[in-house]
Amino acid sequence: CQTQPPTPAAQWALAAGVGGWVWHALSPSTEVTGRTVAVTVLALAVVGAVNQTAFTVVLSIVNRSSLPAQLRKLAPIILPGWVIGWAVNSLIGLLYVLAIDGHPLASLLFIVPLAVLFFAYRGYAGTRSDRVRLAGLHRAARALAEPLDPREAIGAYLREVATCFEAVAAELVLRSAEGRIVHRYVASTGGHTVEIQPDDTVTLEGMLLDRGEPARVAAKERGEARDALVSAGWRECLAAPLTDDDEVSGVLIVLDQAGFEGFEAGELAVIEALARETAVTFTKGSLFAEILEERRKLAEIVSTTSDGILTIGEDGRVRSWNEAMAEISGLPASEVVDAATAIDVLDPRTAEGERVRPELWTDGRKLPSELRITRPDGTTRTLSCSYSFALDPEGTARTLVVVARDITSEEEIDRLREEFGRLAEAERAQRAIVEQLQQAVMPKRPTVPDLELAVSYIASDPSAPTGGDLYDWQVLPSGHLHVAVVDVLGHGVAATRDALAVVHALRLLALQECPIDEIVARADELMRAESPGLAASVLVLRYDPRSGLVQLVSGGHPPALHVSPEGVRQIPASGGVIGWPGAGSDDVVRFTLGPSESLVLYTDGLVEARKDILEGTERLMEQAACVASASTDEMPALLVEGCLQGAERRDDSLALVLRRAPGEHRAVWRYIPSRETVRVARSNLSEWLSAQQVSPERLQDALLCVSELVSNSVRFARSSVVLAADVVDSSIVLEVSDDGTGDGALVTRGTDRPDPLAVTGRGLFIVRSLSREVDIRSDGTGTVVRAVIATGQPASAQTAGAEAPVAADPT
């Protein structure tokens, strides 16, 4: 039981004492006879009765209920738990007595059945408790979902929750503009009360609501939540937040559970599932209320609009006739609706005088956009009409919907013409401004050594050639290239303005040498102060033209694509969208863009055009592989056209390509991991560097570094080790990669001097000592180590003041 008596030893001692007194009073001797066995059974019955009576009295005191009420709660377990349990215990006790009478050592064998009985009882109690919880979960969810508005069933819902968890009380706390609305049900009174707590008051309900995750709080613990629990007069509570789409709208709480104890993790899972289902039910109720409100507004619009609206069924009868139509035609709805030839009274004709029969619309005849009718008072009116069709809820019958505007007045016609002329002129002027704006927002293409850049952009609306998709590229004072792709929520000039603000913020931070891992979060801070309602996904990279190193961070943007001779792969950068909670980049992805390799940045318009994002992403990767051999200037346009061909253009689409020029001093070797790999790699690199006329001193440094790196890769690789070498600006660039399981600790390993007496651990220290720059990436897909060795000065100058590293040749 979750509510245990404070002194169980006293309870058991009382039962044992009374049972022992009965046995000594009635048993004639200590020998095993028929009478002593009967007396023993009677004494065990007295022990069980006294023990269960004391147990029930303690439970009724703790749970503040009467003895009959407590017995009703315990009724399901009296037969299987008390009566059968007493019978089993009695049989085991008699066997124990008989065994001792046969041989004293036989008593040791009774430890096993006693332990099995104990754990079986605990398992039964836990299983029954969890079964009660799950059954109550379904009853509570059903009670809340029965009415159209779930708020009407909160009382019945909380009653089922309290019954489900066998709790003294249950609470449902909901957020609102007035504060926290606390619905409380107390089992002893059966009443449902509502309380509004201001948000600034410190209460148990407020703490559990702010926690935002399932929790159990008990009076025996410590902390603020425990103090609030005790102050409210409760012993313990179980709580779970109401979460829908990661938004916490409330919390469900059960207080002072009684009955059998279930598995703690299972109870948390049950209340969490119930809370989640409750949140979804309230969301559905809100949506239903919104639908009803929209229908009310639509009915109000139809009844108050100045345009006449009527509907005609397939049988030619008028189904509806609004007030505006009655005013235009001079016929009230009572004379028209459901009348067979009501419209004939108005004698509808075309501008040329031809009679029109709207009731024959089912024959497929095209109805005129302009009608002339004759009112009952003899006056004529000219109506501009538009037509649409609607299906009934069963989808079997169609209805013609006619919207008619009275354009009889010549002044109205002239006004409409003038207004149309002004709108056309304004549209032409806006188009010219927008086209100039499009040219203004596109940054000038920078000149970067050995790097080719190109971009292609298509707006979702041809009449508005700009939108929320923008890009930026700028050479920084450090010589690195800054590239940013921004996708702002929205379309048109307003979205362009917001996108420009984000682009300029990112460029400003880049020029201020903001670390790339902080640039998205810093930009979010600037945008929140300047444009609180803005939301934008971003992809930012910095490219080192000397080494080809790319550093990439994301703020909720689709992943970039790396196009190389080995194929097309996604660059897995992640982060939060600017303008949303948790904005910022989660990690920095670093890799080297090899000669003739391309990097494709894009916006979600390319992958969402086919509605299925996974299908769109797969189509983009296939298209990138197909056009990989195209020129840099052609590749972005081919990507956009290929992805949008045959798809609905619903969003702006942008593709930006960076391609490193073909290298003249680069070599790549692939090896299958073996004992000979290090020796072969050293031989290949030595021959290639000698052909590049690298000095002997730098050649030895490079061979020592590649020995250590390849040796490590061979140890962890699954099937492949790749060695790449390049000579860039008087530097040797070595890159060793493998497809092993990775080790995140490699990123910092080798930065401290190793123990001189250690057998291992010197490899990365040697590489860092001989290299000007070392970058390491290691995860579950493999490890990549990139080392840059300067060739313009001897190695001793690079490691001045440090003891020269000594390592044996791994081969």
Side-chain angles (χ1 to χ4, degrees):
C1 177
Q2 289 181 328
T3 307
Q4 292 291 346
T7 55
Q11 169 189 325
W12 298 332
L14 173 64
V18 174
W21 179 82
V22 170
W23 191 89
H24 282 286
L26 300 178
S27 178
S29 66
T30 58
E31 297 181 358
V32 178
T33 63
R35 180 173 180 177
T36 56
V37 169
V39 171
T40 301
V41 172
L42 176 62
L44 289 174
V46 171
V47 170
V50 172
N51 183 56
Q52 300 302 342
T53 301
F55 176 77
T56 305
V57 171
V58 171
L59 275 183
S60 71
I61 294 173
V62 172
N63 294 329
R64 304 170 188 174
S65 61
S66 62
L67 280 175
Q70 190 62 50
L71 285 173
R72 283 194 296 271
K73 289 183 179 180
L74 296 175
I77 66 166
I78 290 178
L79 177 61
W82 294 3
V83 177
I84 297 178
W86 169 82
V88 172
N89 286 330
S90 298
L91 289 175
I92 293 177
L94 290 176
L95 291 175
Y96 181 77
V97 170
L98 295 174
I100 291 178
D101 186 62
H103 197 290
L105 292 179
S107 62
L108 298 178
L109 299 177
F110 282 81
I111 297 176
V112 175
L114 290 175
V116 170
L117 184 64
F118 171 75
F119 286 110
Y121 180 77
R122 289 199 58 180
Y124 165 77
T127 302
R128 176 193 174 277
S129 176
D130 291 340
R131 185 170 62 249
V132 170
R133 305 289 187 265
L134 292 175
L137 184 150
H138 294 297
R139 290 196 304 272
R142 185 168 57 251
L144 193 65
E146 283 181 353
L148 296 178
D149 187 353
R151 291 173 295 184
E152 299 176 357
I154 291 180
Y157 163 76
L158 288 178
R159 181 176 64 251
E160 294 294 345
V161 172
T163 304
C164 164
F165 287 92
E166 302 176 272
V168 173
E171 293 182 345
L172 180 65
V173 185
L174 302 174
R175 295 187 188 273
S176 70
E178 296 81 12
R180 298 185 293 266
I181 301 179
V182 180
H183 296 266
R184 182 180 296 113
Y185 171 82
V186 179
S188 59
T189 62
H192 169 217
T193 60
V194 181
E195 173 189 356
I196 298 180
Q197 298 177 351
D199 290 329
D200 56 354
T201 57
V202 179
T203 63
L204 174 65
E205 291 80 7
M207 292 181 181
L208 295 175
L209 181 61
D210 294 338
R211 180 173 293 189
E213 60 183 14
R216 182 189 294 272
V217 180
K220 61 184 179 181
E221 300 174 356
R222 294 184 179 181
E224 296 181 356
R226 177 265 181 194
D227 297 338
L229 179 75
V230 174
S231 299
W234 306 107
R235 299 187 317 278
E236 64 174 359
C237 72
L238 195 65
L242 274 61
T243 306
D244 189 15
D245 290 337
D246 296 330
E247 181 178 351
V248 178
S249 58
V251 63
L252 177 64
I253 309 171
V254 294
L255 299 152
D256 287 2
Q257 290 178 257
F260 283 99
E261 178 181 8
F263 299 106
E264 181 174 348
E267 290 190 335
L268 285 173
V270 170
I271 193 172
E272 184 179 7
L274 180 58
R276 191 183 305 110
E277 183 67 22
T278 301
V280 172
T281 302
F282 273 98
T283 300
K284 291 179 180 178
S286 299
L287 292 176
F288 181 77
E290 291 177 5
I291 292 174
L292 293 179
E293 179 64 16
E294 292 298 327
R295 292 188 63 180
R296 184 192 65 77
K297 292 180 180 178
L298 179 60
E300 183 178 348
I301 290 172
V302 171
S303 62
T304 60
T305 181
S306 60
D307 291 342
I309 302 176
L310 66 144
T311 59
I312 304 175
E314 289 183 328
D315 57 359
R317 295 177 181 271
V318 176
R319 300 302 185 198
S320 63
W321 188 271
N322 72 339
E323 291 294 332
M325 196 64 210
E327 183 177 351
I328 293 172
S329 65
L331 292 176
S334 58
E335 297 182 12
V336 180
V337 175
D338 290 333
T341 59
I343 298 181
D344 291 343
V345 177
L346 300 175
D347 189 24
R349 296 180 179 273
T350 64
E352 293 77 18
E354 183 181 353
R355 182 67 184 271
V356 178
R357 300 288 301 277
E359 67 273 13
L360 300 179
W361 64 273
T362 55
D363 296 343
R365 302 181 187 182
K366 183 178 181 181
L367 299 177
S369 60
E370 190 171 299
L371 283 178
R372 290 181 180 177
I373 62 172
T374 302
R375 292 162 50 99
D377 58 6
T379 60
T380 60
R381 313 294 292 179
T382 301
L383 307 180
S384 175
C385 301
S386 60
Y387 308 91
S388 62
F389 302 96
L391 291 174
D392 64 357
E394 290 77 19
T396 57
R398 293 192 305 163
T399 301
L400 175 66
V401 181
V402 184
V403 179
R405 171 171 291 185
D406 188 353
I407 58 173
T408 306
S409 173
E410 292 295 332
E411 292 79 10
E412 177 71 11
I413 296 175
D414 292 341
R415 187 187 67 80
L416 290 175
R417 288 176 178 171
E418 293 174 2
E419 183 178 352
F420 178 81
R422 288 195 301 269
L423 289 175
E425 184 63 28
E427 183 179 354
R428 286 192 295 269
Q430 182 181 9
R431 190 173 206 29
I433 293 173
V434 168
E435 289 176 351
Q436 295 176 6
L437 176 62
Q438 183 183 28
Q439 298 299 322
V441 299
M442 301 305 176
K444 183 180 179 181
R445 183 184 308 182
T447 301
V448 182
D450 298 326
L451 187 69
E452 300 171 353
L453 299 167
V455 68
S456 178
Y457 171 81
I458 294 181
S460 60
D461 184 3
S463 64
T466 62
D469 292 7
L470 285 184
Y471 66 94
D472 185 33
W473 42 30
Q474 175 77 21
V475 177
L476 304 178
S478 62
H480 292 181
L481 175 66
H482 161 77
V483 180
V485 173
V486 176
D487 187 357
V488 169
L489 183 65
H491 304 284
V493 178
T496 304
R497 178 199 61 199
D498 292 339
L500 276 173
V502 178
V503 163
H504 290 161
L506 293 171
R507 178 184 287 193
L508 175 63
L509 292 170
L511 290 173
Q512 291 178 347
E513 299 182 353
C514 174
I516 193 168
D517 59 342
E518 300 176 6
I519 195 167
V520 177
R522 293 279 303 278
D524 175 70
E525 295 173 0
L526 295 176
M527 290 300 99
R528 286 182 183 274
E530 181 178 342
S531 304
L534 179 147
S537 67
V538 298
L539 200 64
V540 183
L541 71 82
R542 289 182 187 170
Y543 172 79
D544 185 354
R546 296 172 300 176
S547 62
L549 176 65
V550 176
Q551 300 181 75
L552 186 71
V553 295
S554 174
H557 201 81
L561 301 182
H562 181 208
V563 183
S564 67
E566 288 75 27
V568 180
R569 68 181 181 95
Q570 292 182 332
I571 307 299
S574 62
V577 173
I578 289 178
W580 289 1
S585 56
D586 297 334
D587 52 7
V588 179
V589 178
R590 295 179 175 88
F591 64 98
T592 300
L593 187 66
S596 300
E597 294 181 355
S598 302
L599 188 64
V600 180
L601 313 182
Y602 58 94
T603 56
D604 56 11
L606 287 185
V607 296
E608 293 181 353
R610 301 180 183 277
K611 297 184 180 181
D612 187 339
I613 297 178
L614 296 179
E615 178 185 352
T617 302
E618 183 177 357
R619 176 66 177 268
L620 175 60
M621 296 181 69
E622 291 175 355
Q623 188 69 13
C626 291
V627 302
S629 59
S631 67
T632 305
D633 290 334
E634 295 175 342
M635 187 174 180
L638 293 175
L639 285 174
V640 174
E641 293 172 5
C643 290
L644 298 183
Q645 184 178 7
E648 180 182 359
R649 190 189 305 173
R650 300 179 299 166
D651 199 356
D652 304 333
S653 300
L654 182 147
L656 186 150
V657 174
L658 298 86
R659 176 177 292 173
R660 191 176 181 187
E664 299 179 358
H665 305 291
R666 180 176 172 84
V668 178
W669 300 275
R670 294 181 178 276
Y671 307 104
I672 298 176
S674 68
R675 297 179 59 183
E676 296 297 318
T677 301
V678 176
R679 182 186 62 79
V680 175
R682 283 174 57 92
S683 177
N684 290 340
L685 182 64
S686 176
E687 181 179 350
W688 185 80
L689 288 179
S690 298
Q692 308 304 318
Q693 298 181 351
V694 174
S695 66
E697 293 82 0
R698 299 289 75 75
L699 175 60
Q700 292 303 317
D701 291 346
L703 293 178
L704 182 55
C705 287
V706 84
S707 296
E708 298 295 343
L709 296 178
V710 173
S711 177
N712 285 339
S713 291
V714 168
R715 289 175 56 198
F716 298 104
R718 295 188 181 99
S719 61
S720 175
V721 174
V722 179
L723 166 63
D726 201 353
V727 177
V728 181
D729 293 340
S730 300
S731 296
I732 302 173
V733 181
L734 300 177
E735 185 175 287
V736 178
S737 60
D738 62 69
D739 58 355
T741 56
D743 183 1
L746 287 177
V747 177
T748 57
R749 191 173 298 168
T751 55
D752 298 328
R753 184 183 297 276
D755 184 356
L757 300 179
V759 178
T760 61
R762 295 185 176 85
L764 283 177
F765 177 76
I766 293 173
V767 173
R768 293 184 186 275
S769 300
L770 296 177
S771 304
R772 184 185 65 196
E773 178 184 339
V774 176
D775 292 314
I776 301 175
R777 178 185 63 79
S778 187
D779 54 29
T781 62
T783 300
V784 179
V785 181
R786 178 178 173 277
V788 180
I789 302 172
T791 61
Q793 58 179 344
S796 58
Q798 299 177 40
T799 57
E803 182 180 347
V806 178
D809 188 339
T811 60

